[in-house]
Every structure is written in structure tokens, then in C-alpha cells.
Amino acid sequence: MSQPDTLDPFRDLRVPVVAAPMFLVSGPGLVIAQCRAGIVGTLPALNARTTEEFADWCDRITASLPEGTMWGVNLIAAPTNTRLGADLDVCVAKKVPLVITSLKAPAEVAQKVTGYGGMHLHDVTTLRHAKKALTSGCSGLVLVCAGAGGHGGTLSPMAFSDEVRRIHKGPMLIGGGIGTGAGVLSVRAMGANAAYVGTRFIAAEESLASVCHRNMLIASTSADITYTPLFSGVAANYLSASIAENGLDLAALPTGPRLDAGQARPEGLRAWVDILGAGQGASAVERLEPTETIVATLDAEYQAALRS
């Protein structure tokens, strides 16, 4: 595998979008559809029930796409992820083109991934995290900004991208509330190589999302997203309707600083299963659609924004 273009590794995409890996949503079918539509598809390794199934998924994706197609895997780099080492070994053995790590940015991942010619990006929500990640030897950064689904940050993409570009000239993605082609163009103008788009694909026909998750998202707007640490111990964006449906008072949820894992977590409620994640780009999701239609719409909107 050739080394990715470090100046703009996403320049040949139909529209500069990397689909964010979403827990319990992104599977091999969605990744294949995203790549065939002309963007980069990714999935969390942990969406596969075992490392063996994850390896099978990698084989299925590779066999379904032309040689040289970029696609990616997300690895949760935390002590609680007992599969990290084994899943990383699969990425190395299968030469996964793009590996995105979350939480910590271990140098071992960067060394192994870049060693076979892959690209290693790391999720960051603050400048301090960005600096720390770059010292690990990663290829580039994913700026997870305000409005991103799941564990989103709180920084404006305009301010954050400017700070990061002062210290890093390599690959950079920006995510957070991006649901349209105009949004994709806006982060390109901020210096990103591509937009990191997740919520827009929850209601894709090829996603693993439940019918409830899809329908609830379709009925929601940016005003229907709640940012709280209550369910996972770390602040995240969820569909407000899923919180209310589980008998909780939205007006009484904590709004202060992030809580440590285990604190104030309602017994029996599971983040991402009962309490459903989504970002502030919810308004862009209006119906269940094939991935190809979603990407075609993003492309048309992107080109229209360029012309205007």
C-alpha cells in the first residue's frame, strides 16, 4: 500500500467527507455503500461482537471495493477496551487504510499503522489534546467540535481549527453539526481536508441503526439534542426524545461540569442503546434514504455552495 498524500489525502473524493464511525450504527454494509458513493466509510471495531468477526468484516469490505479504496476503522484506546491489542493486530494484518483512535493516542498505534503505509488520525476536543496526540506520531487529527453526535466537544470549529493549523499542517478533519454540502464547504474553508459527518448517515438504508433511532432522528432538529454527561460519564449529545421516553425530566438533567464514570448515571439505562446519540445536524435528516442518495445530495449542495 502506498503512503497517503500527506498534503491532502482526501483530494480525490467525490465530495470531501469522511463518514464518522458510529457505535451500533456503522457496519460493513454502510462502509461499503459510503465508499462506493465516493466518500470514506468507517466503522468502530467494537461494533463487531468479537475480534474474529471484526476480521471477517475487514475481509468483506476489502473484497467489495476496488484496490486502493480508502476506508477506516475506529479503535477505542482505553484500558476498558480489552480488545484493543487484538483489534489493532487485525488492522495491521489487513492493512486497514485509515485507523482513527479515540480517547488516548498511544504511540504504538501510530507506529504500527504508519509502518504499513496506513494513516492514523486521532479524535481531539481541545488544543491540549491535539498537541499531545501529535507527539504520539499520528498522521493527523480529527477535531470533534460543538454539535457533534456522541462525545462531542464544546469548541467552535472556527476557533479550534485556527489554533490547530498553527501547529499542524498535515491531515485534519472537522466534525460537529455538519449535515449539508454547504457545511462541508465551510470546514474546507477553515482549513480541513474533509468534513467528519456522522448523524447524516444514521437514517441511511444500509446503517445498523434501529427503526426507533432512525424515526426519532427524522423527527428531530438541532433543538432536540441534549448535551449531558449523565449517561456515559462524559458529556455527549443525545436525542432528547429518547431521554424523555425513558421517563426522565429534560429540564432536571445536570448541565454543569462533566461527571466521572458511574456518577449520577440512572440505573439500567444504557447509553447508545436506550439513550440514542445524534448531533446537531439532525435537521438535515428528513427521511430514510440509500447512502448513494445522501452522498449525491451532499455533492450537489457542495457544488452549489462553491458556485455561490
Side-chain angles (χ1 to χ4, degrees), residues 280-298:
Q280 291 179 6
S283 292
V285 183
E286 298 179 335
R287 62 187 67 87
L288 178 68
E289 295 178 302
T291 294
E292 166 60 33
T293 300
I294 296 172
V295 175
T297 300
L298 289 172

Side-chain angles (χ1 to χ4, degrees), residues 81-107:
N81 181 12
T82 58
R83 280 176 43 183
L84 176 60
D87 288 349
L88 175 59
D89 287 345
V90 169
C91 292
V92 174
K94 307 297 182 181
K95 292 184 169 55
V96 174
L98 172 63
V99 174
I100 303 169
T101 48
S102 302
L103 299 182
K104 295 184 179 180

Side-chain angles (χ1 to χ4, degrees), residues 229-240:
L230 184 62
F231 305 105
S232 72
V234 179
N237 280 308
Y238 301 98
L239 286 167
S240 302

Side-chain angles (χ1 to χ4, degrees), residues 150-241:
H151 292 131
T154 59
L155 293 178
S156 157
M158 291 178 283
F160 195 15
S161 60
D162 177 63
E163 291 176 332
V164 169
R165 273 300 183 222
R166 296 179 193 181
I167 62 170
H168 173 64
K169 303 304 179 186
M172 184 180 81
L173 310 180
I174 294 177
I178 303 167
T180 66
V184 175
L185 181 60
S186 71
V187 297
R188 285 284 290 156
M190 294 178 211
N193 297 97
Y196 202 49
V197 180
T199 298
R200 190 70 177 83
F201 293 99
I202 292 175
E205 289 182 356
E206 299 86 351
S207 88
L208 301 176
S210 66
V211 173
C212 173
H213 195 174
R214 293 172 175 178
N215 289 342
M216 199 173 283
L217 174 63
I218 290 168
S220 297
T221 69
S222 60
D224 302 310
I225 304 298
T226 296
Y227 187 66
T228 176
L230 184 62
F231 305 105
S232 72
V234 179
N237 280 308
Y238 301 98
L239 286 167
S240 302

Side-chain angles (χ1 to χ4, degrees), residues 5-25:
D5 183 345
T6 56
L7 294 178
D8 192 351
F10 307 104
R11 63 182 179 180
D12 294 328
L13 297 176
R14 176 181 182 182
V15 58
V17 167
V18 174
M22 294 176 285
F23 188 53
L24 303 182
V25 172

